[in-house]
Amino acid sequence: MKTKLRIALQKKGRLFEDSRDLLKEAGIKFNLGNGRLVASASKFPMEVLFLRDDDIPQTVSDGVADIGIVGENELEEKGFNLKTVKKLGFSKCRLSLAIPKEIEYTGLSWFEHKKIATSYPKILQRFFDEKNINAEIHEIAGSVEIAPGIGLADAIFDIVSSGSTLVANHLKEVEKVMDSEAVLVSSNNLSPEKEALLGQMIFRINAVMASNSNKYILLNAPNDKVDKIVDILPGMKSPTVLPLAEKGWSSVHSVIKEDHFWEVIGQLKENGAQGILIVPIEKMIL
């Protein structure tokens, strides 16, 4: 029987969508139809389990799944001994303390002897222990943000992304406790065959992530400006410089980080670059 890698994914929501898209770009496709909770991937030896996000750490820890994609917040809260293989750069958020917006916040001491509603009691308790804060923590499974409004708690500790949910419930963020993003985790007891499959999967994911964060740039430059432009565009090793048919001009090709795009473009134009083209990279093998 051919070895398959079994991965646990959140069955719906933003984390599911981002995970599915990443795997699809890595050439690993699966069909989630008819309410199925298990599916086989095409073009890669993998079986997919669709679970609640808070069940993923235990599922991997128990060996039911070999690997999983889960938020760091859930991983930290559950506390299972899993290997974090790779941070994936999506589904970013933070876990923060928030209080009613009309209340004046005077610092962490404000939480002393207050009631805090949260779905992450272990993370919050560790934070308060480190800060020597004595507070009463109420664990709530969902709709944490309504707790102060109905008199259940004085404040909340919850996931914050855009902050719109806090605003809608007349709350304000006052302390960030941790940042979180999606991570790929694995069991500590994978067989050599499954470790090899995981290595292949990571290779594909690295290629996808590198391509998403970089752009291919082509431009024309006068030869007396090429050295300066090459200094601006270091590339992966160094830019490619090719002579143009028009005497005194060259074509320069390189890769730039998307984060530096506009800054670099301005510098290039100041140094005589013309006909600048920016091209998406489908895959980038490092």
Side-chain angles (χ1 to χ4, degrees):
M1 183 176 175
K2 189 174 181 181
T3 300
K4 285 188 176 184
L5 198 61
R6 180 176 279 186
I7 185 171
L9 300 181
Q10 182 175 306
K11 61 183 177 181
K12 60 182 179 180
R14 187 181 64 161
L15 181 58
F16 162 72
E17 293 169 359
D18 290 341
S19 301
R20 175 200 58 198
D21 292 346
L22 175 64
L23 294 176
K24 183 178 179 181
E25 288 187 72
I28 304 171
K29 301 177 183 178
F30 52 85
N31 181 28
L32 177 59
N34 301 320
R36 289 186 299 167
L37 299 180
V38 182
S40 291
S42 61
K43 300 182 180 180
F44 193 84
M46 176 178 285
E47 190 173 56
V48 186
L49 305 181
F50 302 103
L51 306 170
R52 285 167 46 97
D53 59 343
D54 53 357
D55 289 334
I56 292 174
Q58 182 169 358
T59 301
V60 177
S61 179
D62 290 347
V64 177
D66 304 306
I67 59 176
I69 295 178
V70 67
E72 288 178 290
N73 54 311
E74 290 295 343
L75 189 63
E76 183 76 11
E77 178 66 20
K78 298 304 180 184
F80 291 103
N81 181 27
L82 301 176
K83 185 188 301 181
T84 298
V85 179
K86 187 171 184 62
K87 292 192 173 188
L88 299 175
F90 56 76
S91 296
K92 291 186 176 182
C93 63
R94 56 194 180 274
L95 284 177
S96 294
L97 285 155
I99 66 174
K101 67 178 184 179
E102 68 274 8
I103 293 177
E104 180 184 358
Y105 183 61
T106 56
L108 274 174
S109 60
W110 184 91
F111 293 100
E112 190 75 21
H113 304 304
K114 295 293 196 304
K115 295 180 181 179
I116 320 296
T118 184
S119 298
Y120 301 94
K122 293 180 181 177
I123 295 174
L124 182 57
Q125 188 63 65
R126 283 194 294 269
F127 176 74
F128 279 158
D129 288 346
E130 290 170 2
K131 304 298 182 180
N132 296 314
I133 300 293
N134 294 306
E136 187 178 338
I137 298 174
H138 287 245
E139 183 175 1
I140 298 178
S143 301
V144 172
E145 64 277 359
I146 70 170
I150 62 175
L152 183 61
D154 300 300
I156 69 166
F157 176 62
D158 203 15
I159 292 174
V160 178
S161 183
S162 67
S164 59
T165 301
L166 294 182
V167 172
N169 287 276
H170 308 288
L171 300 171
K172 61 182 178 182
E173 183 180 3
V174 293
E175 293 284 345
K176 182 179 75 172
V177 173
M178 71 171 285
D179 290 307
S180 177
E181 65 181 272
V183 291
L184 178 65
V185 297
S186 79
S187 163
N188 291 296
N189 301 304
L190 293 184
S191 67
E193 295 80 9
K194 290 187 175 182
E195 285 282 6
L197 288 176
L198 178 57
Q200 294 176 34
M201 178 182 170
I202 293 298
F203 176 80
R204 295 188 184 195
I205 288 174
N206 285 340
V208 170
M209 292 180 67
S211 67
N212 289 342
S213 62
N214 290 277
K215 299 294 181 185
Y216 192 75
I217 183 169
L218 305 88
L219 59 89
N220 298 328
N223 288 343
D224 61 350
K225 297 288 187 178
V226 166
D227 288 344
K228 180 61 177 178
I229 286 174
V230 166
D231 288 340
I232 297 170
L233 291 172
M236 295 175 66
K237 289 189 179 296
S238 66
T240 300
V241 180
L242 302 171
L244 291 178
E246 183 177 346
K247 190 175 180 180
W249 284 80
S250 295
S251 175
V252 181
H253 300 211
S254 190
V255 174
I256 60 173
K257 290 284 186 183
E258 189 169 28
D259 291 347
H260 302 152
F261 172 77
W262 290 112
E263 175 188 348
V264 168
I265 294 302
Q267 293 179 46
L268 293 173
K269 288 183 68 65
E270 289 173 3
N271 284 277
Q274 297 180 11
I276 301 171
L277 297 178
I278 306 298
V279 183
I281 301 172
E282 184 174 343
K283 301 289 184 295
M284 194 162 108
I285 310 302
L286 301 175

